[in-house]
Amino acid sequence: MVDARIRLFVPEQGGWRSPVDASSGLYAPHLRIGPNGEYLGVRLVQGPAELHPSDSAEVTFELMYDSIEYSTLRVGNHFEILEGLHAVGEG
């Protein structure tokens, strides 16, 4: 598990129009450190039930894959939240 502070982008920045449920375990984006970093599969398991575009929140990510190296997720590192090729937030 990894705790992080995230912010979702507004639609004009490529983000969502509606809120994301950060507490149900159903939202599973990728994180990427830097523009050429590896896609890191995660699932949001703790946070607000309604995380709206432009909102910031403290959340907990579950690391989804045993075969992926997650060591780049360190305190102080900036990351993008990706859905496919599109950045929808940051942390």
Side-chain angles (χ1 to χ4, degrees):
M1 301 286 191
V2 172
D3 295 323
R5 181 159 195 78
I6 65 169
R7 181 180 70 88
L8 295 183
F9 294 155
V10 295
E12 295 77 23
Q13 296 172 299
W16 283 77
R17 293 192 186 289
S18 57
V20 169
D21 182 350
S23 64
S24 68
L26 297 176
Y27 183 58
H30 287 91
L31 305 182
R32 181 174 65 186
I33 310 288
N36 298 315
E38 184 175 8
Y39 279 47
L40 305 171
V42 296
R43 181 185 340 266
L44 271 171
V45 294
Q46 188 173 15
E50 287 195 359
L51 185 57
H52 293 267
S54 82
D55 282 355
S56 292
E58 298 290 329
V59 300
T60 301
F61 290 108
E62 175 185 39
L63 309 179
M64 292 179 58
Y65 304 107
D66 292 334
S67 61
I68 298 293
E69 178 60 50
Y70 289 92
S71 65
T72 56
L73 285 176
R74 290 187 288 258
V75 173
N77 279 3
H78 178 264
F79 57 85
E80 294 176 293
I81 302 169
L82 302 166
E83 293 181 11
L85 299 175
H86 303 285
V88 296
E90 63 186 356

